[in-house]
Amino acid sequence: MPIALDPGDGAPIGLDALVAALADSPVDARDADGLASLGPLFARLWRNPDFLAAMAVDELLRRTGEARPLYGPQVLLLHPPDGRFLLRACFWPAADDAVTRAAGPASFFYGLPHDHNFSFLSYGYFGPGYESDDYEYDGWSVGGRPGDPAQLVAIGRRRLNPGALVLYRARRDVHCQLPPAALSVSLNLMAFDPAQPWIDQYRFDLGRGTIAECLTAAPSEALLALALPFGEGAEVAARIARHHPSPRLRHAAITALAAEAPEYWWEVAADDPALGETARARLAALGGD
């Protein structure tokens, strides 16, 4: 389950001062314990009641999106990825708010049990806070394919109350979020890792206790799907299927080969029987022979 942390009692801090302090910190944000040690510093931003409203007004006036763009219906980027950290504010509307009715609950991840491929701190900044049903699992040991057992352990329901500080651990903590009673805002300090696009994030089927789907995708996956139907890239796809460190991209390559370049698919299958079985299953799913 997310780990509750002591927010300390430090004086309020502004966003620029927080970013500067994070830049000076020697902590490796990819280490969950190291990230947790930054909690009292991060919590000082919560004690600044004015910065977020001022930033929102500034964005409405400027609307250039150059420094801190608003993306999607839910997130205001406070500080873009700098190689170590990312800061954001997340807005959580109530179930009967107009934006929830217009965009749908799924736009805010409500009712979608999922993990994260990064660790992050979350702070209840405004409003009563969303509730979530929490689970734990070992994301590094699962197969990663839809239908694979996730071995989730149910923890219980928790609310991100105002002033609450918690640590979510990458590929360990799973939650299914529920709309708050009224509009709420959380602040996130997220670890940034260049390898993150290659680390899978999952949605889960709680009824079956399995992985429902992979939520992450890399641009290379789309390029494979685009190039091979036009008769290009089969040799590159075969190299990816054999050697790429990301299982997800290897699976994407073998799927593309099975559908568009079976001669290369058979070569890969001959080299690696396990990949051949993966390819055979994916070809069958595509309706091939």
Side-chain angles (χ1 to χ4, degrees), residues 154-177:
I155 304 299
R157 182 165 293 185
R158 173 195 53 82
R159 186 172 69 179
L160 188 65
N161 294 310
L165 175 66
V166 295
L167 168 70
Y168 286 88
R169 296 161 295 178
R171 309 205 76 187
R172 176 124 181 223
D173 295 314
V174 174
H175 64 170
C176 182
Q177 292 155 292

Side-chain angles (χ1 to χ4, degrees), residues 10 31 52 65 87 101 103 117 129 134 138 140 153-154 162 175 185-186 197-198 206 224 228 241 256 259 267 286:
D31 174 69
L52 188 58
L87 284 162
R101 297 197 307 270
N117 57 359
D134 293 329
D138 181 1
W140 302 106
V153 177
H175 64 170
V185 180
S186 62
W198 305 112
L206 297 180
L224 283 168
L228 266 68
E267 291 180 8
L286 290 167

Side-chain angles (χ1 to χ4, degrees), residues 73-222:
Q74 184 177 23
V75 175
L76 179 64
L77 191 62
L78 306 178
H79 178 66
D82 59 8
R84 297 175 64 214
F85 301 105
L86 181 152
L87 284 162
R88 70 182 185 183
C90 293
F91 304 90
W92 305 98
D96 59 352
D97 283 350
V99 67
T100 310
R101 297 197 307 270
S107 298
F108 304 96
F109 271 75
Y110 293 149
L112 298 176
H114 62 282
D115 69 345
H116 302 88
N117 57 359
F118 53 88
S119 295
F120 68 100
L121 299 176
S122 188
Y123 211 109
Y125 181 77
F126 173 82
Y130 65 81
E131 291 187 330
S132 61
D133 292 325
D134 293 329
Y135 303 81
E136 282 189 19
Y137 88 124
D138 181 1
W140 302 106
S141 66
V142 297
R145 294 166 297 187
D148 281 350
Q151 299 183 356
L152 298 173
V153 177
I155 304 299
R157 182 165 293 185
R158 173 195 53 82
R159 186 172 69 179
L160 188 65
N161 294 310
L165 175 66
V166 295
L167 168 70
Y168 286 88
R169 296 161 295 178
R171 309 205 76 187
R172 176 124 181 223
D173 295 314
V174 174
H175 64 170
C176 182
Q177 292 155 292
L178 306 171
L183 175 67
S184 300
V185 180
S186 62
L187 304 181
N188 294 159
L189 172 59
M190 302 160 55
F192 179 80
D193 186 345
Q196 188 173 311
W198 305 112
I199 301 173
D200 289 342
Q201 179 187 16
Y202 302 121
R203 181 176 66 83
F204 300 92
D205 184 328
L206 297 180
R208 294 183 171 87
T210 59
I211 292 173
E213 65 174 327
C214 180
L215 297 175
T216 44
S220 299
E221 296 178 59

